[in-house]
Amino acid sequence: MPTTKTNKTLGLLALAGLTPYEEKKGEEYMSDAQLKHFNLLLKAWRDQLRQEVDRTVHHMQDEAANFPDPVDRAAQEEEFSLELRTRDRERKLIKKIEKTLKRIDEDDFGFCDACGIEIGVRRLEARPTADMCIDCKTMAEIKEKQLQG
């Protein structure tokens, strides 16, 4: 969701009211300031997802109607089914965000689970729940495709 070249605010960053993190010269990777930045980013994302889940519940309660026409009833059930699938994916994402926030608290955030190198601030801003560097993730996806056929 990048906007223009002059305004480099990204989707999640804009949601959290943050700007891209500017690393200071000689700053240690995953310093307290960086961890705070990602903590704010993840909490804002989680809160936004929770609001969507609540909104869906209220929407489904308000829209529930007993239509006499089977076509109308089927259309409403299909709409609810799609919303429930979307919310299920969001609940899984909330769990992943919670896991990532726990990693920040444990000071185990920002490093690849497979090889241990730094994931990188820009990659983490784009995908804050990433737990693998881009090289390891690419290799894992290639292996997964090969195993599937």
Side-chain angles (χ1 to χ4, degrees):
M1 251 194 294
T3 55
T4 63
K5 285 194 174 201
T6 56
N7 182 5
K8 293 185 178 182
T9 305
L10 302 175
L12 282 177
L13 293 171
L15 175 73
L18 300 171
T19 57
Y21 188 82
E22 296 295 327
E23 297 176 65
K24 288 131 187 96
K25 198 167 197 149
E27 180 179 18
E28 182 181 331
Y29 182 70
M30 284 303 129
S31 65
D32 289 339
Q34 289 177 4
L35 290 174
K36 182 180 177 188
H37 174 78
F38 286 110
N39 199 12
L40 290 171
L41 181 65
L42 286 161
K43 285 181 178 178
W45 192 17
R46 178 191 63 192
D47 294 344
Q48 186 259 343
L49 289 170
R50 284 181 176 166
Q51 288 173 354
E52 284 294 312
V53 170
D54 291 343
R55 185 194 58 76
T56 299
V57 170
H58 294 302
H59 169 71
M60 290 179 75
Q61 289 171 343
D62 293 343
E63 293 293 319
N66 195 3
F67 292 110
D69 184 2
V71 174
D72 292 339
R73 195 173 27 240
Q76 183 186 41
E77 287 176 9
E78 180 66 20
E79 177 188 334
F80 284 175
S81 176
L82 290 171
E83 284 190 41
L84 289 172
R85 267 189 263 155
T86 300
R87 297 307 160 236
D88 187 47
R89 283 193 303 272
E90 288 174 347
R91 277 193 295 278
K92 289 177 184 176
L93 185 54
I94 289 171
K95 286 180 185 177
K96 195 168 184 179
I97 291 170
E98 293 288 345
K99 177 183 160 194
T100 305
L101 286 168
K102 187 177 178 189
R103 288 184 73 165
I104 289 174
D105 291 342
E106 295 171 351
D107 204 25
D108 186 30
F109 176 73
F111 297 92
C112 179
D113 286 348
C115 67
I117 66 166
E118 299 173 357
I119 293 175
V121 173
R122 295 296 161 245
R123 173 159 163 72
L124 288 170
E125 281 183 333
R127 188 174 299 273
T129 57
D131 53 9
M132 296 175 89
C133 67
I134 194 71
D135 294 335
C136 291
K137 185 65 176 175
T138 303
M139 291 303 294
E141 288 174 355
I142 290 170
K143 287 179 186 176
E144 184 179 335
K145 284 180 184 177
Q146 288 174 344
L147 290 175
Q148 288 178 350

